[in-house]
Amino acid sequence: MKSINRFFSILVFLIFTTPVFAANDISLLETAKKNGMSLYWDSLSESGIIEKNGHQLSFRKDEPIALFDSIRLIITDAPSVKDNQIFVSQQFINDAETLFKEDNSTPFKVGAILIDAGHGGKDPGAYREYKINGKKVLVQEKDITLKVAKMLNDRLKMAYPDKKIIMTRSKDEFLSLSERTDIANNLKVGEHEAALYVSIHVNASFNKTASGYEVWYLTPGTRRTVIDESSVDGDKTLLPILNSMLEEEFTTESIMIAKFIMDGMKAQIGKESVARGIKAEEWFVVKNSNMPAVLIELGFLTNEKEAKNLINDTYLKKTTLGIYNGISAFITHFERSKGFTTVR
């Protein structure tokens, strides 16, 4: 989640060595329990994280490289997996314990939040005409998303005057999907700062009874390039490994943001609509933004009852407050944990 420039600026001194296959006869799970470490393992990506004393060490099966506190690479013995158990060498444990004893007071923080109001201008998004109080009313996605984006922008700016709060559009104008992601990827943050991308949309369905709100993040299996090769000093053969590590970090953080926002919306909306949960999909704006990103579907405009909610300012204020509370909860978690966002 930290900026890519910062991620690599600290990797100036980088030595790539031939893997040393030491005797991996120590169970990492048992050692972690004995030594007060927290262990997290993703069998799908065959990567894991151990945490202790406010530090974090990320590693992958059969890789002699580990990532310390998301900013420093170390060379150590490659972990192995046998019968679904992680085994490491004594050298791996020694290296980890030495790193965990370091003093680290680096103030990681969220430096910028980009709010993307979906559609706009010549692109209305979903729309329907309903008769409300005897009058025909055209309900358009682009109007709803802009209204919520503005309210969210105001709340975030008031709460976080030290952070960059930016909107992709602040009026009824058309922006292509690539223009939106360009705005995101050109966003500048400080060396120890992170950026978040929140895209707001309204749903539609041929099923007129479909209702509820959703929060989407990028499918974990999707492979994307989040590293600019020109920003990397040192051995270019490390690029795939580094890209994979950073990409997995973005995915983990996106899932956590999605969960916090979903919980925030549930608390505010209550029984007025249905929580459809957090889901994974390859949305363009999410897939092509090089940062943690989520896409929120506020509800179904094709459902007449829900459409009336979506043009009701009181309801939209509740929805906005739920989104704001979710983002705020993530910021608090991220900044208190020094940038660690492991999903427990």
Side-chain angles (χ1 to χ4, degrees), residues 12-79:
V12 176
F13 183 68
L14 183 63
I15 301 176
F16 186 68
T17 62
T18 302
V20 177
F21 294 96
N24 285 349
D25 53 7
I26 299 174
S27 167
L28 185 56
L29 178 61
E30 293 302 317
T31 302
K33 288 179 180 178
K34 291 178 183 177
N35 295 1
M37 302 175 185
S38 297
L39 170 64
Y40 310 93
W41 175 251
D42 180 0
S43 58
L44 189 62
S45 64
E46 296 188 315
S47 62
I49 296 170
I50 48 177
E51 292 180 1
K52 184 178 180 180
N53 298 337
H55 292 288
Q56 178 190 61
L57 187 67
S58 304
F59 60 91
R60 300 185 72 183
K61 172 190 171 185
D62 297 334
E63 295 287 357
I65 300 171
L67 184 61
F68 179 61
D69 283 356
S70 295
I71 58 174
R72 190 164 102 219
L73 288 182
I74 67 160
I75 306 300
T76 188
D77 293 339

Side-chain angles (χ1 to χ4, degrees), residues 189-224:
V189 293
E191 185 178 348
H192 298 290
E193 293 183 342
L196 312 179
Y197 188 105
V198 179
S199 190
I200 301 170
H201 288 258
V202 175
N203 227 329
S205 173
F206 289 114
N207 179 1
K208 294 182 179 180
T209 63
S211 66
Y213 50 93
E214 306 165 338
V215 186
W216 295 78
Y217 60 92
L218 183 64
T219 307
T222 301
R223 298 295 91 184
R224 57 177 170 166

Side-chain angles (χ1 to χ4, degrees), residues 166-183:
I166 301 168
M167 299 175 66
T168 55
R169 68 180 182 98
S170 57
K171 58 184 179 181
D172 185 19
E173 63 179 330
F174 174 77
L175 289 173
S176 67
L177 294 178
S178 59
E179 285 176 317
R180 295 170 192 269
T181 54
D182 283 345
I183 293 172

